């Protein structure tokens, strides 16, 4: 009897350990039915990933995928990092004769322009507000070269996954558009309908207002010259999304999008629709009134940002994402070393003075992945 009890205990421990490890490994995976798993570090051999759950028969436009990566690529302007990477994507599986097969799509983007020696000083020193200390506290070891896994370079995988999601969404009439709406204290009007969003790609900042874009660019250059950094806000709009996406309790669409955004490097806040502005309103001011729009139920305003009760209502989904300034500064700062001794650090290397211009495609990518995943979940729960 005691022997049997010991065996049962062993099996419970063994399989619990297996399940816990499986769940921990899933921390590198995002999504439920449309899933993206990423791997790689900033100064490793490559960044890559696997997309599972891509619907079969989708036209795979490799030029479009590369274009999305080019929008995120370093070295694309005077206001981004000087690291020069081609970021050429190689699709390894899951595509045949230009269409998705329904099998996992593996991909890789090789690193080629690392300067790891720039980070030698940071081997034993923690950069303020960076992931250096927290990675050491969690794992007991860290890759100090460019931040390792905490580097924004890892978001390459998200952009590839997002590009594939966009290709699938395109076939059902859903589009995703993001743009820089604020850098430092220079901001646009909150109403995205006042701007021609096609102009966002016409300047280095990715702002649809050319005059404001010029001001933002000058601010970023001035901050960069001092060795400092600056944050800002990206606005994102989803058009063509049908009513009914999302779940009423723990699977709310805004919660899923919030999770996707807060998982992006440097993001510190997300607000939907009028967001925090709703806190100062009365219900009579805040409510989106329904009306019959030629046989289609619509709303006269969209203060909810296209999501009510955690479920899409058919209006444009729009939200704002706040990015903090980049933590790595090219100026001297007080800090501590790995033994807790107080010291100073002046970081070296090539870093973005502002993440906003290169973060726009990342916000779009994570939005597209989330919307496609929720769309597939919605289809699977209806007869």
């Amino acid at each position: 009897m005691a022997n049997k009890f010991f065996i049962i205990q062993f099996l419970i421990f063994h399989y619990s350990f297996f399940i816990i490890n499986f769940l921990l490994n899933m921390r590198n995976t995002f999504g439920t039915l449309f899933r993206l798993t990423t791997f790689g570090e900033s100064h490793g051999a490559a960044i890559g990933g696997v997309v599972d759950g891509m619907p079969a028969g989708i036209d795979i436009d490799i030029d479009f995928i590369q274009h999305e990566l080019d929008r995120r690529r370093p070295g694309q302007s005077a206001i981004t990092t000087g690291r020069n990477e081609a970021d050429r994507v190689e699709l390894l599986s899951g595509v045949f004769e230009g269409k998705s097969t329904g099998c996992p799509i593996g991909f890789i983007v090789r690193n080629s322009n690392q300067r790891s020696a720039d980070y030698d000083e940071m081997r034993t020193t923690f950069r303020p507000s960076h992931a250096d200390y927290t990675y050491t506290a969690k794992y007991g070891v860290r890759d100090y070269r460019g931040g390792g896994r905490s580097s924004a370079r890892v978001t390459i995988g998200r952009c590839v996954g997002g590009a594939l999601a966009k290709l699938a969404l395109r076939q059902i009439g859903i589009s995703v558009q993001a743009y820089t709406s604020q850098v430092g204290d220079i901001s646009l009007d909150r109403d995205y309908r006042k701007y021609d969003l096609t102009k966002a790609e016409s300047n280095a900042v990715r702002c649809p207002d050319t005059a404001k874009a010029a001001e933002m660019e000058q601010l970023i250059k001035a901050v960069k010259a001092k060795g400092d950094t600056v944050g800002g806000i990206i606005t994102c709009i989803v058009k063509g999304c049908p009513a009914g996406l999302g779940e009423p309790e723990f699977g709310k669409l805004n919660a899923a999008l919030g999770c996707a955004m807060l998982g992006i490097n440097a993001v510190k806040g997300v607000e939907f629709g009028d967001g925090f502005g709703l806190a100062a309103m009365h219900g009579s001011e805040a409510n989106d009134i329904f009306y019959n729009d030629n046989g289609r139920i619509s709303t006269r305003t969209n203060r909810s940002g296209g999501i009510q009760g955690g479920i899409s209502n058919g209006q444009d989904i729009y939200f704002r994402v706040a990015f903090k300034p980049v933590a790595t500064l090219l100026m001297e700062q007080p800090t501590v070393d790995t033994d807790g001794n107080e010291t100073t650090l002046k970081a070296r290397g090539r870093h973005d003075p502002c993440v906003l211009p290169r973060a726009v495609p990342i916000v779009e990518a994570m939005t597209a992945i989330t919307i496609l995943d929720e769309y597939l979940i919605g289809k699977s729960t209806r007869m």
Side-chain angles (χ1 to χ4, degrees):
M1 186 69 179
N3 215 17
K4 186 183 283 186
F5 181 69
F6 172 78
I7 291 171
I8 291 169
Q9 277 191 318
F10 173 78
L11 289 172
I12 290 171
F13 173 79
H14 176 77
Y15 284 107
S16 295
F17 183 76
F18 173 80
I19 291 168
I20 289 168
N21 270 282
F22 173 76
L23 291 173
L24 286 175
N25 287 333
M26 289 292 285
R27 298 296 183 93
N28 293 302
T29 299
F30 182 84
T32 303
L33 295 183
F34 183 87
R35 297 186 303 278
L36 169 68
T37 301
T38 69
F39 66 84
E41 296 85 29
S42 178
H43 285 230
I47 306 292
V50 176
V51 169
D52 203 2
M54 181 73 172
I58 303 296
D59 292 327
I60 302 301
D61 184 345
I62 188 66
D63 291 334
F64 174 76
I65 297 171
Q66 187 60 55
H67 171 70
E68 294 296 277
L69 274 180
D70 290 344
R71 295 172 68 212
R72 195 223 69 93
R73 189 178 67 84
Q76 60 183 272
S77 76
I79 57 172
T80 64
T81 171
R83 181 169 174 170
N84 187 16
E85 294 276 5
D87 284 355
R88 305 304 299 179
V89 63
E90 302 171 43
L91 298 185
L92 307 176
S93 62
V95 178
F96 180 66
E97 295 182 340
K99 291 186 181 292
S100 58
T101 63
C103 298
I105 299 177
F107 62 87
I108 194 170
V109 174
R110 301 180 190 279
N111 295 326
S112 62
N113 191 231
Q114 307 98 314
R115 290 201 323 218
S116 299
D118 287 346
Y119 296 87
D120 285 348
E121 277 184 76
M122 296 172 232
R123 181 193 294 265
T124 58
T125 310
F126 296 134
R127 288 170 289 180
S129 284
H130 212 288
D132 297 346
Y133 170 70
T134 52
Y135 267 52
T136 302
K138 180 175 179 65
Y139 298 109
V141 63
R142 68 181 170 94
D143 183 348
Y144 62 88
R145 305 165 305 165
R149 186 74 171 153
S150 71
S151 170
R153 183 150 181 79
V154 178
T155 59
I156 283 173
R158 301 176 188 220
C159 284
V160 176
L164 289 166
K166 281 185 175 183
L167 290 173
L169 290 174
R170 181 188 291 175
Q171 296 200 1
I172 53 177
I174 298 175
S175 65
V176 179
Q177 167 91 60
Y179 63 92
T180 299
S181 55
Q182 182 172 334
V183 172
D185 60 357
I186 302 169
S187 63
L188 303 188
D189 190 288
R190 290 175 63 102
D191 188 351
Y192 64 89
R193 295 169 300 179
K194 293 183 177 180
Y195 301 98
D196 178 359
L197 301 187
T198 62
K199 293 182 178 179
E201 292 295 315
S202 67
N203 56 75
V205 187
R206 295 200 160 87
C207 170
D209 183 314
T210 53
K212 289 284 188 181
E215 291 181 43
M216 292 173 179
E217 186 168 351
Q218 287 306 309
L219 174 60
I220 295 171
K221 287 179 177 178
V223 165
K224 181 182 180 181
K226 297 176 183 176
D228 211 339
T229 61
V230 65
I233 293 174
I234 288 173
T235 297
C236 187
I237 304 101
V238 181
K239 290 182 174 291
C241 187
L245 268 60
E247 303 298 326
E249 182 57 16
F250 297 116
K252 287 179 167 60
L253 180 58
N254 47 319
L257 285 166
C259 177
M261 296 305 112
L262 290 166
I264 299 172
N265 307 49
V267 170
K268 286 297 182 181
V270 185
E271 63 172 358
F272 293 85
D274 283 5
F276 285 100
L278 293 169
M281 296 182 188
H282 294 166
S284 56
E285 300 170 297
N287 283 352
D288 293 317
I289 303 301
F290 290 110
Y291 76 105
N292 188 322
D293 182 13
N294 295 317
R296 174 179 175 269
I297 294 176
S298 188
T299 59
R300 297 195 182 279
T301 55
N302 191 15
R303 296 188 179 95
S304 303
I307 302 173
Q308 294 170 330
I311 299 172
S312 61
N313 65 4
Q315 304 301 304
D316 289 352
I317 295 171
Y318 75 96
F319 52 91
R320 289 159 35 98
V321 187
F323 286 78
K324 73 182 182 70
V326 175
T328 304
L329 309 185
L330 302 182
M331 59 168 57
E332 196 168 88
Q333 289 187 100
T335 186
V336 297
D337 63 21
T338 51
D339 295 319
N341 301 310
E342 293 189 2
T343 184
T344 58
L345 171 69
K346 182 176 181 180
R348 292 187 295 150
R350 298 163 294 178
H351 307 280
D352 287 286
C354 178
V355 299
L356 276 293
R358 295 175 61 217
V360 166
I362 301 167
V363 167
E364 289 181 3
M366 292 307 295
T367 301
I369 290 170
T370 304
I371 294 296
L372 178 58
D373 193 34
E374 293 294 331
Y375 179 83
L376 295 173
I377 291 170
K379 285 189 67 176
S380 71
T381 56
R382 296 183 184 88
M383 294 298 290

